[in-house]
Every structure is written in structure tokens, then in C-alpha cells.
Amino acid sequence: MKNRNALIGFVIVSIVTTLAIAAPWIAPYDPATTSIRLFEGPSAEHWLGTDQLGRDIFSRILFGARVSLIIGAGSAVVAGIIGVPIGLAAGYLGRTVDMMAMQFINLFIALPGLVLALIIITMTGATMLNIVLVLGFVAWPGVARLARGQTFAIRESVYVEAARAVGGGTAWIIIRHIWPNIFRLVAVQLATVVAFAIFTSSSLSFLGLGVPPPTADWGGMVRSGVDYLSVNPYMSLAPGFSVAITIFGFYMLGYREE
């Protein structure tokens, strides 16, 4: 990669993803197994110590990475499925379709994402599937707006005009000529959606509306450790750092130089 920031992001995301995938094999303990060794500090047996139930914090960090990445990637897929077709149609067809689509997109952009997610999660229940669907639904307008802008910019290009001249239909032109040319930028936008979803899901967990226990979840771990910072600060600091470095990695991966 020529972009140094993207390279940094790629390395961070690759490391986090590898650790998440390999968690069942490299985690020294079951993340849900309790013990009588409460609030232990870092040691050779427990690298980051134990929590209020005697669970190994390092193991829970590894398994928490799986939850965060699943929610982030799932939300990006949902946002792409909703936003990309709307953006492509609005940008290529223009006029009435574009005007209606932009009004719809701007309506959702004006709504605070975290507040909207809080309301919907409270109504539907805090399950991983619901969180993925809600965060994807909240994030799709940004994807749609980017796809619409890029489509609008290239719809009058020479190769698009040539495709029209030989009788190419709207769907064929969009799939064959426009989508391949905007895919890279849309993929970059989806990387930022993953970062947004990880941050928002962690915020929901901190507020008690995330993935229910005993599933290891970074936001929930931060919240449970707040009351015990003076006993073992790693209970909050370790998952908090994990959230921060993962979000940083995805934002760097999605960084675009103007």
C-alpha cells in the first residue's frame, strides 16, 4: 500500500482479527469460567489479572474481540446492502429519484446515531443480531451518500456514454461500468462503518444495552471494571485500550488522502 496510514490500519486490523479468530486456541482460560481468585493483579498465570468473578481478563479480551468484529463487520454488510443500491440509483438516475433519495438520506443523517440506536435497542432487545441490524440501519445513509456522489461524478464519463450508445440498459451499465469504479471508495467508507459500529456497540454495552452476559464484550468489561479501578484497573483499562486501538486501526484503514 502506498498510503502509510492505510498500511498502519491494515497491520492493526490484521493483528486484532488474527487474535480474534485464534482466541479458542490461544486463550489460556475459558472466558466464562469463574474461580475464587478474585481481583488478582497481572501474573504469569493471569497476564492481565482476574475480575470480580475470578475470570481471566486476557482470555475475555480475546473473545471480546470476536464479538466486536462480528458486530462491526455485520453492521457494515447491512449498511452496504441498504446504502449502495440507493446511492447508485440516485446518482445514476438523477432528477426525481435523486431528489427523493437525498431527502430520505438527509432525514436519517440528521438523527443522532447513538440516540437512535438506544431507542431501537431498548424496544427490540439487546441481542447480537438486533445490534448488528440496528447499527447497520443507522450507518447506511453515509454509505448511500458516498455511492450517490461518486456515481453522479462518473455517470457522464466517456465509457458510460459509450455503453449507452451501444444500447446498454441501466442495470447493466451500473453493474458493469459504475460499480467497479466506485467499489474501492465504498469499501473505504465501510471500514469507517466498522469502527463506528464497534464504538457504538461498546457504548451500548457500557450503558447496559449491549450483548448480554456472560458473553465477553469489551464495553461490558469496561463498565464492570469501573467500580473496581482501585482494586484492579486492568479490568477497565485493558478492554478500553482494545476498543481504542481497534477503532483507530479501522479509521486508519479507511483513511483517504484528499
Side-chain angles (χ1 to χ4, degrees):
M1 291 184 183
K2 297 181 180 179
N3 189 318
R4 186 166 61 95
N5 294 313
L7 178 59
I8 293 172
F10 177 77
V11 171
I12 293 173
V13 170
S14 297
I15 292 173
V16 173
T17 303
T18 300
L19 291 175
I21 293 174
W25 296 279
I26 64 178
Y29 300 94
D30 187 304
T33 299
T34 60
S35 71
I36 60 172
R37 304 178 65 175
L38 314 181
F39 301 116
E40 287 195 357
S43 65
E45 291 182 296
H46 301 281
W47 292 358
L48 295 175
T50 60
D51 63 11
Q52 75 277 19
L53 296 178
R55 297 172 298 189
D56 182 66
I57 295 174
F58 178 68
S59 299
R60 290 181 63 78
I61 291 290
L62 293 177
F63 279 88
R66 309 182 101 195
V67 173
S68 292
L69 291 178
I70 289 172
I71 291 176
S75 300
V77 170
V78 173
I81 290 174
I82 300 174
V84 169
I86 292 176
L88 287 169
Y92 184 77
L93 299 176
R95 298 183 180 180
T96 303
V97 174
D98 183 38
M99 182 183 68
M100 293 176 62
M102 285 307 299
Q103 292 297 324
F104 192 55
I105 291 170
N106 290 333
L107 173 65
F108 277 90
I109 289 177
L111 298 173
L114 180 57
V115 175
L116 184 60
L118 276 170
I119 294 172
I120 299 176
I121 289 296
T122 302
M123 295 172 59
T124 61
T127 66
M128 188 179 297
L129 178 59
N130 284 347
I131 292 172
V132 167
L133 294 175
V134 168
L135 295 183
F137 184 71
V138 169
W140 75 262
V143 178
R145 186 165 64 173
L146 176 68
R148 177 257 181 193
Q150 294 301 315
T151 301
F152 191 81
I154 66 174
R155 68 177 183 177
E156 303 300 334
S157 300
V158 174
Y159 56 87
V160 176
E161 291 287 353
R164 290 197 196 100
V166 298
T170 298
W172 184 79
I173 292 174
I174 290 176
I175 294 172
R176 179 67 179 82
H177 295 284
I178 294 181
W179 171 240
N181 286 283
I182 72 170
F183 171 77
R184 180 177 173 274
L185 288 175
V186 171
V188 165
Q189 178 68 18
L190 291 177
T192 64
V193 170
V194 175
F196 160 79
I198 292 174
F199 172 77
T200 306
S201 65
S202 297
S203 300
L204 291 171
S205 295
F206 186 85
L207 296 173
L209 294 173
V211 179
T215 303
D217 176 73
W218 287 343
M221 292 175 67
V222 173
R223 177 64 188 90
S224 64
V226 167
D227 297 329
Y228 307 105
L229 285 176
S230 60
V231 181
N232 185 359
Y234 291 97
M235 288 177 60
S236 283
L237 293 180
F241 175 78
S242 301
V243 172
I245 194 66
T246 304
I247 291 174
F248 175 76
F250 276 105
Y251 270 121
M252 286 294 99
L253 187 62
Y255 178 83
R256 290 191 311 232
E257 289 186 342
E258 301 296 336

